[in-house]
Structures are given as C-alpha cells and as structure tokens.
Amino acid sequence: MSGLWSRPGALVGLVAGLGLLLIWAGLPMRRRIGLMHRVAPYLRDTPRPSRLLAVTPNDARLAHLLAPVMAEIGSRLDVVLGGSESVRRRLQRAGLPSDVDKFRAEQVLWGVAGGVCGALLGGLVILTGGSPVRALLFIGVGMGVGVVARDMALSRAANRREQIMLAEFPTIAELLALSVAAGEGAVGSLDRVTRLSQGELAGELGRCLADARAGASLPNALQGLADRTGLASLSRFVDGIVIAVDRGTPLAEVLRAQAQDVREEGRRLIMEAGGKKEIAMMAPVVFLILPVTIVFAAFPGFSFLNFTI
C-alpha cells in the first residue's frame, strides 16, 4: 500500500478513475426521479391546511397571551404621555406604519427592560447595605429612561431618514429634469425615475405614483409626500411641480432650480456644521490643554521661589 502512494502515476490514475466514476453516475440516464418529485406537481394547487391545526410555538402563544395586557398598558401610557399626533407624525417621517398603539407597546417593553436594569442596580445597592427605597428609585428611573429612550430613538430615526432623503433629492430632481426635457410627462418621468433609482426618496415617489394610478390626481399625491415628510425643501419641490403642472410652465427648469436650491442649502448646512465643530473643538483646548500648559510653565518658577525662600 505504501508503494502505491509513493508512485505519482498510480495516484493520478486512481483520482482520474474516481472522477470518471462520478461523471458516469451523474449522467441523465443514470438519474432516477424520486417519489417526491413525481407527486409534487399534482399537489401544488391543494388548499393550505387550516391554521387552527398548526402547532403554535411557545413564544407565539406567549405573545398572544400578553397582547391584551400590552395594549392596555400602552393605552394608559398614551393617556399619561399624550402626543399621539406627534408620534403618528414621526412614524410617518421615519417611514414606519402609523400604528401608535404598537409604538406604545414598544415603549412599554423598553420601559420593562429599563426597569430590569434598574432592578439589577437596586439589588447591588441592597447587597452593599443600601436602603430599599433607593433600589425602588433605581427601578422607577430605569423604566422612565427606557420609555424616553424609545421616543428619542423614533425621533432619531425620523431625522436620519430625512437627511438621507435630502441627500438623495438633488440627484432625483436632476433625473426628473432630464426625463421631462427628453419629452416625457410628469407621470412618465416619475415612473422612469422610480424604476431606475433606489433609496428612501425614490420609494416615496413610487408611493405617490401608486396613489396617482389608483385614482388620485398627481398634485394631491405629491402633496401627500410633502405631508409625510418634514423637509421644507421637499415641500417647495412639490409646490413647484404642482404649479408647473397646473399652469403649464416648463417643468424641467423648475426641477433644475429646485435641485440647485437643495445643493445650496446642503452647502450652507455643511458650513454651519463646520462652524459648530470648530467651536466644540475649542472646549478641550481651553479647559484641558491650556491649563496644563500654564501649570507646566508656572511650576518651575514657583518651585524656584519656594527653594529660595
């Protein structure tokens, strides 16, 4: 056996023979269709079994059991906090379904998670000899932090999505202007741009196009885009398109002007952000580096005065 492995020719022949054997076994004439493949074409049109007969996982059962409790707690939280219209507005801005009850339930879950973290800290306080009142205070603070954190996360998601849409807007406006200048109408231009583009703004324009095809007029569909977002640039963009469609003014020039205005606004925002960062960079220089420099410069003199005295 060792002599066989020591000969390269024999090893190559063995590998080639195995390869030919696998090729011969994989030939179509050698394949046999199993029973599953023979029966599958006749079972595609069978009705689905009832969901009542399906086995429900334990986590799904738990979710169904806790759903009424979460809904009740969420409704009470909505009564305490209020601002349902603000929450619905931010959900629309974030591109999420306008389900305030679901958001309140998520706030309850975040509050429970914060309460658990507070309970852990309270347990540590009790183990170290602290008072139980302080542990209860940790639990309450943790629950409040969880509820507020979910609200802040929604606001941050809405702002992030609007910033993405604002960055995509000049390119989308230029594409619409090119399509209109090529001879297509407003609806055809929107259709072409939404098919060729990807992103948040393209998705919103596709939604407007779907509303227009469902029976709504194009100005009303675009006005829905302006209502769903909190960007003044998009509101001006919609107003320009509506006026151009109603009065018959050249739409390509309006779109180019809108894109240029958004670019100028983006440049202005970048300059403002740079100015704020420059001021923020002065804080460590003034409060950290400068005192240390003064100490290093003045310490030798004070030590020399102490030595001479």
Side-chain angles (χ1 to χ4, degrees):
M1 189 68 183
S2 61
L4 178 62
W5 292 106
S6 62
R7 296 178 182 178
L11 184 59
V12 171
L14 180 60
V15 172
L18 290 175
L20 293 174
L21 181 60
L22 291 175
I23 293 173
W24 179 76
L27 290 176
M29 64 181 67
R30 297 291 303 173
R31 297 176 185 173
R32 293 184 178 180
I33 301 176
L35 179 62
M36 182 180 66
H37 295 88
R38 295 187 184 198
V39 178
Y42 303 97
L43 298 178
R44 291 177 181 174
D45 298 333
T46 56
R48 295 182 178 180
S50 176
R51 289 184 295 176
L52 297 175
L53 301 177
V55 179
T56 306
N58 293 328
D59 53 353
R61 293 175 182 174
L62 183 62
H64 284 297
L65 290 175
L66 294 179
V69 180
M70 299 298 296
E72 180 65 23
I73 298 176
S75 62
R76 293 183 181 274
L77 183 64
D78 185 66
V79 171
V80 173
L81 297 179
S84 299
E85 188 62 32
S86 174
V87 172
R88 187 176 293 106
R89 175 71 173 171
R90 284 180 292 165
L91 287 172
Q92 291 179 355
R93 289 169 52 195
L96 300 174
S98 301
D99 192 351
V100 181
D101 296 334
K102 181 180 178 182
F103 175 76
R104 294 303 185 191
E106 291 178 357
Q107 276 190 310
V108 171
L109 292 177
W110 282 51
V112 170
V116 170
C117 296
L120 294 176
L121 293 176
L124 293 177
V125 169
I126 293 177
L127 290 177
T128 55
S131 62
V133 178
R134 187 175 299 178
L136 294 176
L137 182 62
F138 273 112
I139 296 175
V141 170
M143 295 178 64
V145 168
V147 172
V148 175
R150 182 64 186 96
D151 189 81
M152 294 178 63
L154 177 61
S155 300
R156 187 162 51 251
N159 294 331
R160 188 185 304 113
R161 183 171 182 266
E162 288 183 349
Q163 293 300 322
I164 293 174
M165 294 174 65
L166 189 62
E168 295 172 353
F169 178 71
T171 304
I172 296 295
E174 290 288 349
L175 290 175
L176 286 173
L178 290 173
S179 182
V180 170
E184 291 191 357
V187 178
S189 301
L190 288 174
D191 187 15
R192 183 178 295 274
V193 170
T194 52
R195 283 189 290 106
L196 298 178
S197 304
Q198 294 180 355
E200 298 292 338
L201 185 56
E204 286 291 337
L205 290 176
R207 183 175 176 181
C208 294
L209 184 61
D211 293 339
R213 288 175 174 173
S217 62
L218 182 61
N220 292 334
L222 292 175
Q223 190 61 42
L225 170 62
D227 295 337
R228 288 191 298 269
T229 58
L231 295 175
S233 302
L234 283 178
S235 299
R236 292 195 299 268
F237 167 72
V238 170
D239 293 338
I241 292 180
V242 170
I243 293 173
V245 170
D246 291 340
R247 299 182 180 179
T249 56
L251 186 57
E253 297 298 331
V254 174
L255 294 174
R256 290 194 182 94
Q258 292 286 342
Q260 186 64 29
D261 291 342
V262 173
R263 287 194 177 93
E264 292 296 333
E265 184 178 358
R267 191 176 296 110
R268 179 180 58 82
L269 292 177
I270 290 175
M271 295 296 293
E272 290 181 358
K276 293 179 181 179
K277 295 296 182 181
E278 183 179 359
I279 295 174
M281 288 172 61
M282 294 297 295
V285 174
V286 174
F287 295 103
L288 295 178
I289 299 177
L290 185 60
V292 172
T293 305
I294 294 174
V295 169
F296 272 93
F299 181 75
F302 283 110
S303 63
F304 179 76
L305 289 176
N306 294 330
F307 181 73
T308 54
I309 292 174

